[in-house]
Amino acid sequence: ALVASGFSIRALQVLILMRMLQVLRLLPRIALFRNLAKSATRILVCFGVQGAFLFLVCLWFATLGVQLFGGLLDPANPALRGTDYQDLQYYPLNFDTVLRATATVFILLIVNNWFIFANALTAATGTATVNLYFVAFFLAGNMIVLNIFLALVIDGFSVAVDALAGESEQASEGGVHDVVQRRKAVLSAILADGEQSEEEEEDWEPEQLRWASFARE
């Protein structure tokens, strides 16, 4: 009974979550979110190469970290006692494997508690020269590659938004042009033929009838 009750609660939570996701169906109907989605799609296609280059830089530093610091950030290492790395239980983030090193480097890329890793490796190696690794990655990965990538994305987003705005203006101008042409056609027909037959006026739109009445006056 407890298992069935737990399953029912879990199923109810899933249904509530799916119900909340239906709100996403309304987003394409909002012009702001629709333009945002179109702009994001365009810049993702254009800046995939820059994103891949940023990933390669992180992967290179992760591989270097495995070669330099592999096995040092181990829970059994007594040199880590009393460090913030041990107190905060950061053990899953280390340089033992390329996968874990890549995750660690990504955290360093967003400058999240990088000093904890630096102090831990300083304590594990007994030398402060390990800080050169973090300084080099901060300069290459964060200050140069990441900032260039973000600048290109922001610039591309601005260009995409301007392009969408231009397309909207052209569409609006095209609609106004069609209305003007319809009105000109009605006025030309009235001025040329004088009066239209009732059968012809039945095919006109309400807007055309209003302008025809205005022209007769």
Side-chain angles (χ1 to χ4, degrees):
L2 293 176
V3 175
S5 177
F7 177 77
S8 300
I9 294 175
R10 178 62 63 182
L12 181 61
Q13 292 175 343
V14 172
L15 290 176
I16 293 175
L17 179 61
M18 294 179 64
R19 186 72 176 176
M20 294 174 61
L21 292 177
Q22 290 184 354
V23 179
L24 299 177
R25 298 173 57 185
L26 300 176
L27 296 182
R29 301 183 181 181
I30 303 175
L32 177 62
F33 292 104
R34 184 169 60 250
N35 293 337
L36 180 63
K38 291 181 179 179
S39 302
T41 303
R42 293 184 179 183
I43 64 177
L44 285 177
V45 174
C46 297
F47 299 108
V49 176
Q50 286 80 357
F53 178 68
L54 177 62
F55 174 75
L56 289 177
V57 171
C58 293
L59 184 61
W60 188 86
F61 274 93
T63 305
L64 179 63
V66 171
Q67 301 299 321
L68 296 177
F69 313 124
L72 293 179
L73 298 179
D74 189 271
N77 190 346
L80 298 178
R81 294 177 183 175
T83 61
D84 292 335
Y85 183 86
Q86 182 189 47
D87 296 339
L88 296 175
Q89 296 295 309
Y90 272 24
Y91 291 118
L93 299 173
N94 52 54
F95 294 93
D96 293 346
T97 64
V98 175
L99 182 61
R100 291 191 175 188
T102 303
T104 304
V105 167
F106 177 77
I107 293 176
L108 297 176
L109 182 67
I110 59 177
V111 199
N112 183 26
N113 293 340
W114 64 271
F115 57 91
I116 294 179
F117 298 94
N119 293 337
L121 288 173
T122 299
T125 59
T127 176
T129 55
V130 296
N131 293 320
L132 295 176
Y133 171 86
F134 297 94
V135 173
F137 178 71
F138 179 78
L139 293 176
N142 189 284
M143 295 294 293
I144 299 177
V145 180
L146 180 60
N147 284 330
I148 292 176
F149 175 74
L150 293 178
L152 290 174
V153 170
I154 294 173
D155 183 68
F157 183 78
S158 300
V159 172
V161 170
D162 293 340
L164 290 174
E167 293 175 1
S168 300
E169 291 178 0
Q170 291 178 358
S172 301
E173 292 176 357
V176 172
H177 180 71
D178 293 340
V179 173
V180 173
Q181 291 299 323
R182 288 200 303 269
R183 291 175 179 176
K184 286 183 177 180
V186 173
L187 292 175
S188 299
I190 292 173
L191 294 175
D193 300 335
E195 294 292 337
Q196 301 295 321
S197 64
E198 295 182 356
E199 291 78 6
E200 292 176 342
E201 292 186 358
E202 289 178 357
D203 297 333
W204 287 358
E205 297 179 358
E207 183 180 7
Q208 292 175 311
L209 292 174
R210 287 197 300 269
W211 277 86
S213 176
F214 173 76
R216 293 190 183 100
E217 294 176 358

